[in-house]
C-alpha cells in the first residue's frame, strides 16, 4: 500500500513540483489548497505530467473542521509537507496582521490536526531569510538567526520556533525545517512553474516576463554592493532539486527512532551568483537580449547570501543536480508555454 503525504499549498509553485517528486518516489500525494494565491493551472499541469488526477481537497489550513475532515477521509496519510503560507515580503510589510494570522494559525491548526490523527512526520517550508545578512559566508545551519526584516520573515522564524518547542514537549512529532535559498526554474515539461499574480517581485519571473515582452524592462536593484560586479549575490536552486529535498526529508524522518525529533537543513546549491550573472546566463540560454537598466538598491535587500550545503549533502544524502543554466532554460520554456496558452 502506498503511503499518502498531505501537501498543503500543493497547487502552488514549490508544492506542485514536490507533488511530482513524491509520485516519482512512490508516495501518494494529497493536495490541500485554498487557491487564495493559485488557480487550477498547476492541477491541470500535474495531470498532464502524471497522467492521473492527484487527490485534491479545496479548503483552508486554518479551518480545523476542514483539516479534521481531510485526515478522516485519508487514513493512509503518514506525513505532512506544509507549504501553505503567504510569501510576499513587500505585502507582509503592508499587511502584517494578515501574515501573522494566516502563517501562524495554519501551522498551529495543521499540527493540532496531525496530533488528533496520529500523524507524526512533518516537513516545513522555511527560508534562508532567517539568517538576515550573515556575518560570514557561506551560512551553515549554526549561523546565528537574526531578527526578521519583514513580517513574512518573522513568521518563518516563529514557525521554526513553534515546531522546535512542539518537538521538545515530547509530542509524537518528527519534524524537519528546510531553509530554502532562492528557488527558480520549472518542471522540464514546462506545464507547471512559477505563476506570479500581477507584477513579479522575484528576479527570475521578472526576467522571463521582460524577455517575453510583458514587462518593458528589468531593473537590476543596485550595482554598488561589495561583490564582483556590484550586484547582489544569491544561491539559486532549481525547483525540482528543491522538490527532491522534501522526499529525502521524509525518508530521513522514517529513519528516526525517537518519537519526538527535530532538525533543520539549508537547501541550496552552495554556489552564489550575482544578479548580473543571472541576467547573462539567461541571455545565453534563451538567445534573447534582455532590456535591463541598473537602478537603485531595493530597501531590505541583503548584499549576499549562499548556503553551506554540507549537512544536507551528507545527512539527507541530497545534492543539487541541476545547473543555473538548466533552471533558467526551464523557466524560459515555462514562460513560453504560458504565452502559448494565452495566445
Ligand atoms: C526573497 C526573500 C526570501 C523569499 C523569496 C521568495 C528576503 C531577504 N528574501 O528573496 O525569503 O523566500 O523572496 O519569495 O526576504 N532583483 C532585481 N530586480 C528585480 C527583482 C529582484 O535586481 O526586479 C534582485 C534582488 O535585489 C535580489 C535578487 O534579485 O538581489 C533576488 O531577488 P528575489 O527574487 O526577490 O529574492 P530575494 O529577495 O533574495
Amino acid at each position: 500500500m502506498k503511503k499518502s503525504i498531505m501537501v498543503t499549498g500543493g497547487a502552488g509553485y514549490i508544492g506542485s513540483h514536490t507533488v511530482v517528486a513524491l509520485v516519482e518516489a512512490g508516495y501518494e500525494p494529497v493536495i490541500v489548497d485554498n487557491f487564495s494565491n493559485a488557480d487550477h493551472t498547476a492541477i491541470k499541469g500535474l495531470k498532464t505530467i502524471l497522467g492521473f488526477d492527484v487527490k485534491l481537497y479545496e479548503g483552508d489550513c486554518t479551518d480545523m473542521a476542514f483539516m479534521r475532515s481531510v485526515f478522516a477521509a485519508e487514513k493512509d496519510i503518514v506525513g505532512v509537507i506544509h507549504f501553505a503560507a503567504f510569501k510576499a515580503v513587500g505585502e507582509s510589510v503592508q499587511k502584517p496582521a494578515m501574515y501573522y494570522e494566516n502563517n501562524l494559525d495554519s501551522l498551529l491548526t495543521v499540527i493540532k490536526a496531525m496530533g488528533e490523527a496520529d500523524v507524526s512526520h512533518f516537513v516545513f517550508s522555511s527560508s534562508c531569510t532567517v539568517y538576515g545578512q550573515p556575518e560570514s559566508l557561506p551560512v551553515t545551519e549554526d549561523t546565528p538567526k537574526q531578527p526578521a526584516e519583514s513580517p513574512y520573515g518573522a513568521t518563518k522564524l516563529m514557525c521554526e520556533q513553534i515546531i522546535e518547542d512542539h518537538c521538545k514537549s515530547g509530542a509524537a512529532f518528527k519534524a524537519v525545517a528546510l531553509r530554502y535559498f532562492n528557488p527558480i526554474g520549472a518542471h522540464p515539461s514546462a506545464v507547471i512553474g512559477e505563476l506570479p499574480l500581477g507584477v513579479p517581485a522575484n528576479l527570475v519571473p521578472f526576467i522571463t516576463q521582460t524577455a517575453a515582452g510583458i514587462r518593458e524592462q528589468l531593473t537590476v536593484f543596485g550595482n554598488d554592493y561589495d561583490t564582483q560586479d556590484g550586484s547582489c549575490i544569491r544561491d539559486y536552486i532549481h525547483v525540482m532539486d528543491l522538490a527532491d529535498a522534501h522526499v529525502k526529508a521524509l525518508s530521513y524522518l522514517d529513519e528516526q527512532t525517537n518519537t519526538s525529533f527535530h532538525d533543520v537543513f539549508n537547501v541550496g546549491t552552495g554556489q552564489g551568483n550575482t544578479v548580473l550573472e543571472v541576467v547573462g546566463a539567461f541571455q545565453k540560454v534563451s538567445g534573447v537580449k534582455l532590456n535591463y537598466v541598473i537602478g537603485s538598491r531595493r530597501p531590505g535587500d541583503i548584499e549576499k547570501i549562499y548556503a553551506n550545503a554540507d549537512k544536507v549533502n551528507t545527512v539527507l544524502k541530497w545534492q543539487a543536480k541541476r545547473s543555473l543554466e538548466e533552471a533558467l532554460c526551464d523557466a524560459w520554456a515555462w514562460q513560453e508555454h504560458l504565452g502559448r496558452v494565452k495566445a
Side-chain angles (χ1 to χ4, degrees):
M1 194 181 60
K2 281 188 179 176
K3 290 178 179 173
S4 296
I5 302 293
M6 179 189 283
V7 185
T8 76
Y13 175 42
I14 307 171
S16 58
H17 290 80
T18 300
V19 165
V20 176
L22 285 168
V23 172
E24 282 170 359
Y27 290 101
E28 177 167 53
V30 176
I31 295 176
V32 169
D33 206 299
N34 66 0
F35 295 92
S36 69
N37 194 29
D39 59 17
H40 282 259
T41 306
I43 303 296
K44 287 186 205 134
L46 285 172
K47 183 162 190 183
T48 306
I49 295 168
L50 302 171
F52 63 88
D53 283 313
V54 176
K55 280 188 182 169
L56 167 66
Y57 290 85
E58 189 164 346
D60 200 301
C61 291
T62 63
D63 179 346
M64 188 61 186
F66 165 71
M67 293 304 288
R68 276 194 186 117
S69 72
V70 180
F71 281 112
E74 298 292 337
K75 299 275 185 221
D76 296 331
I77 290 177
V78 295
V80 176
I81 307 181
H82 184 48
F83 294 104
F86 293 154
K87 61 171 187 178
V89 178
E91 184 187 51
S92 79
V93 178
Q94 306 300 322
K95 300 175 183 168
M98 187 176 102
Y99 270 67
Y100 288 116
E101 184 177 18
N102 182 68
N103 292 4
L104 299 182
D105 199 6
S106 64
L107 172 72
L108 293 165
T109 308
V110 169
I111 289 179
K112 198 168 160 194
M114 285 175 68
E116 288 183 8
D118 282 327
V119 174
S120 60
H121 289 26
F122 188 72
V123 181
F124 179 67
S125 291
S126 190
S127 166
C128 68
T129 195
V130 301
Y131 299 117
Q133 175 60 72
E135 279 182 13
S136 63
L137 289 166
V139 288
T140 73
E141 290 76 2
D142 295 326
T143 297
K145 290 186 262 185
Q146 292 193 33
E149 295 271 351
S150 69
Y152 156 78
T155 69
K156 291 297 172 195
L157 281 165
M158 290 176 189
C159 286
E160 281 202 9
Q161 190 64 53
I162 290 168
I163 292 164
E164 197 178 330
D165 290 344
H166 189 53
C167 294
K168 281 188 192 152
S169 76
F173 191 71
K174 303 186 197 184
V176 157
L178 299 179
R179 293 178 181 157
Y180 310 154
F181 283 68
N182 287 53
I184 60 164
H187 188 266
S189 66
V191 296
I192 57 172
E194 193 169 4
L195 204 56
L197 299 175
V199 182
N202 295 115
L203 178 63
V204 170
F206 207 104
I207 288 179
T208 59
Q209 289 196 7
T210 306
I214 302 167
R215 308 282 154 213
E216 202 184 317
Q217 65 179 187
L218 167 79
T219 302
V220 173
F221 296 138
N223 69 346
D224 56 353
Y225 288 100
D226 183 19
T227 63
Q228 55 267 39
D229 58 29
S231 61
C232 291
I233 291 178
R234 297 286 184 276
D235 184 333
Y236 295 94
I237 173 174
H238 195 298
V239 66
M240 285 308 301
D241 279 335
L242 180 57
D244 288 337
H246 296 78
V247 175
K248 298 276 191 194
L250 287 172
S251 312
Y252 176 63
L253 290 175
D254 268 341
E255 289 163 15
Q256 305 310 319
T257 48
N258 291 344
T259 50
S260 301
F261 178 80
H262 170 255
D263 211 346
V264 294
F265 294 92
N266 286 341
V267 190
T269 64
Q271 185 190 317
N273 285 101
T274 68
V275 176
L276 288 169
E277 283 169 355
V278 175
V279 168
F282 176 80
Q283 296 190 129
K284 209 167 113 195
V285 298
S286 67
V288 178
K289 176 127 183 43
L290 206 64
N291 183 19
Y292 72 91
V293 287
I294 306 291
S296 48
R297 292 181 175 199
R298 181 171 66 175
D301 263 344
I302 54 166
E303 183 170 271
K304 46 189 156 184
I305 187 162
Y306 52 96
N308 174 318
D310 288 353
K311 185 176 174 192
V312 70
N313 293 164
T314 53
V315 181
L316 284 199
K317 301 174 194 72
W318 170 92
Q319 203 95 37
K321 295 190 192 120
R322 298 154 177 96
S323 65
L324 175 67
E325 286 73 17
E326 194 174 343
L328 292 169
C329 203
D330 289 339
W332 181 228
W334 161 243
Q335 183 68 57
E336 292 193 300
H337 166 82
L338 284 177
R340 282 193 296 273
V341 173
K342 285 216 179 90

